[in-house]
Amino acid sequence: MNHEGCKGMEPLVSVITPAFNRVTYIRQAIESVLSQTYSQIEFIVVDDGSSDGTFELLSECDFRGELRLFTHPDRQNLGQSAALNLGLRHASGRYIVILDSDDVLHPEKISKQVAYLESHPDIGMVYGQAMAISNDGKELFPIPPNDHVEPGDPNRLLLDCYMALPGGAMVRKSVFDQAGFFEESFRASQDHDMVVRIAEVAPFVYLPGIVFYYRKHAESISQQGLERRWMVGFEILARAKKRFSYRSSTIRKRKALLHFRMGQVRWFQRRLLSALWHFIRAGLGDPKRSIAVILGFEKAR
């Protein structure tokens, strides 16, 4: 793997992986980058204060020249956004790929997406399908589904949150320069915030086909984690409204969905009055969708 990017005319691609306590899976992620059919890859891994042996494993890989390892001062744990931003500051590639430390790239992911972006200079981001896999690597289901069609409309992306940045996407470095860094105050949903900001500044397209494998962990997110996620969602929405001329119906419906999700969290917390308030706000904001969800015709995303 050539880190200098000087072979022929192939542009350099920077793969950035934030890592925190993933010693069980990260070797598979590393191998998936090293085995790409594309040669011009700069592989940056940022250890975010791991204590389970991940840092030691990565140090060995760095010593062998398989990747470039970075850490925060005093090996602090500063969160995924800070780790990604450190990686972005050191990235020198024309294109950026973000790979979570427990996921796996398809061998042809980078070559196919580079070819597309090289032949479509007007497109800022391209993404493909993930195959969800179990802890032991068993294939489960594709994300998005096989009938997915990308409208290329930031309104749809903000409203339905149907894609995340890691793994499946490749983004021009120049687009990241426009969109800015990941929001380090967010400890949840920072990938959704970033992909929304990218969609606001550059056209994006979907190419069918599996490009990475997303590991779906058996453990469920705690109610505290869900509460943080949806609270951050309200802040993402407020910022998006100030940045971009979204349709008023998009803002209203997204806010309604967030209220529905917060209502679910409050219900499980047995804070029933708060849950009822959020459910009422959801119903008033998007009556049609609320009824469809209640009747089981649609799942809230």
Side-chain angles (χ1 to χ4, degrees):
M1 185 164 56
N2 187 322
H3 288 176
E4 300 302 319
C6 58
K7 178 183 175 182
M9 298 298 291
E10 289 184 341
L12 184 66
V13 176
S14 297
V15 178
I16 302 173
T17 293
F20 176 68
N21 288 350
R22 287 292 188 224
V23 71
T24 303
Y25 302 116
I26 196 167
R27 186 70 231 182
Q28 295 175 53
I30 293 169
E31 290 295 341
S32 76
V33 176
L34 299 179
S35 61
Q36 288 293 299
T37 58
Y38 191 82
S39 64
Q40 297 301 98
I41 298 174
E42 168 191 63
F43 189 17
I44 295 171
V45 181
V46 180
D47 182 77
D48 191 27
S50 296
S51 58
D52 68 339
T54 297
F55 174 74
E56 289 74 18
L57 186 154
L58 292 172
S59 296
E60 294 175 4
C61 294
D62 185 25
F63 179 77
R64 292 194 296 267
E66 296 174 342
L67 52 83
R68 297 170 60 199
L69 176 61
F70 295 93
T71 63
H72 304 298
D74 300 321
R75 294 196 52 231
Q76 299 175 79
N77 171 244
L78 300 181
Q80 189 177 55
S81 291
L84 287 169
N85 288 343
L86 181 58
L88 283 171
R89 290 187 181 98
H90 287 281
S92 53
R94 184 185 304 177
Y95 303 116
I96 304 291
V97 170
I98 293 172
L99 175 65
D100 280 348
S101 55
D102 51 355
D103 295 339
V104 176
L105 295 183
H106 186 282
E108 297 181 349
K109 176 250 177 17
I110 291 179
S111 61
K112 288 183 176 180
Q113 292 186 337
V114 167
Y116 184 87
L117 289 176
E118 285 290 282
S119 61
H120 296 82
D122 57 317
I123 300 300
M125 175 178 68
V126 61
Y127 73 100
Q129 284 176 296
M131 175 58 71
I133 58 174
S134 62
N135 282 351
D136 58 2
K138 180 182 178 182
E139 294 187 2
L140 302 174
F141 51 84
I143 309 171
N146 291 326
D147 60 355
H148 176 68
V149 176
E150 175 54 66
D153 181 3
N155 283 274
R156 279 284 309 279
L157 190 56
L158 177 66
L159 177 60
D160 288 330
C161 189
Y162 55 81
M163 73 160 289
L165 190 60
M170 178 177 286
V171 185
R172 294 183 190 275
K173 178 63 162 57
S174 59
V175 171
F176 269 113
D177 293 339
Q178 289 179 267
F181 288 109
F182 286 83
E183 177 52 67
E184 295 187 13
S185 68
F186 294 166
R187 288 296 184 114
S189 299
Q190 62 274 355
D191 51 353
H192 176 53
D193 174 62
M194 176 56 80
V195 81
V196 165
R197 287 193 276 139
I198 288 172
E200 291 169 358
V201 301
F204 58 103
V205 299
Y206 165 71
L207 295 182
I210 302 299
V211 294
F212 85 115
Y213 299 87
Y214 163 68
R215 198 176 303 276
K216 195 169 177 62
H217 291 286
E219 63 269 17
S220 60
I221 301 173
S222 68
Q223 290 302 315
Q224 182 180 0
L226 286 172
E227 181 175 9
R228 184 186 307 116
R229 176 181 178 182
W230 304 124
M231 290 301 293
V232 168
F234 281 107
E235 179 61 24
I236 291 172
L237 182 61
R239 295 186 186 192
K241 182 180 177 181
K242 293 179 181 178
R243 280 193 314 262
F244 191 78
S245 57
Y246 288 101
R247 293 190 293 268
S248 59
S249 61
T250 299
I251 301 298
R252 173 175 52 80
K253 291 178 180 180
R254 181 63 184 173
K255 186 177 292 186
L257 188 145
L258 291 169
H259 276 296
F260 178 81
R261 287 303 198 188
M262 282 301 299
Q264 290 180 310
V265 170
R266 296 290 187 245
W267 182 266
F268 284 110
Q269 293 172 339
R270 303 193 66 81
R271 298 170 61 181
L272 303 186
L273 286 178
S274 178
L276 179 61
W277 182 82
H278 282 291
F279 286 141
I280 291 172
R281 293 291 301 272
L284 293 174
D286 194 353
K288 183 178 179 181
R289 193 172 196 182
S290 296
I291 293 171
V293 170
I294 290 171
L295 296 178
F297 297 131
E298 180 179 346
K299 288 186 176 180
R301 284 175 286 185

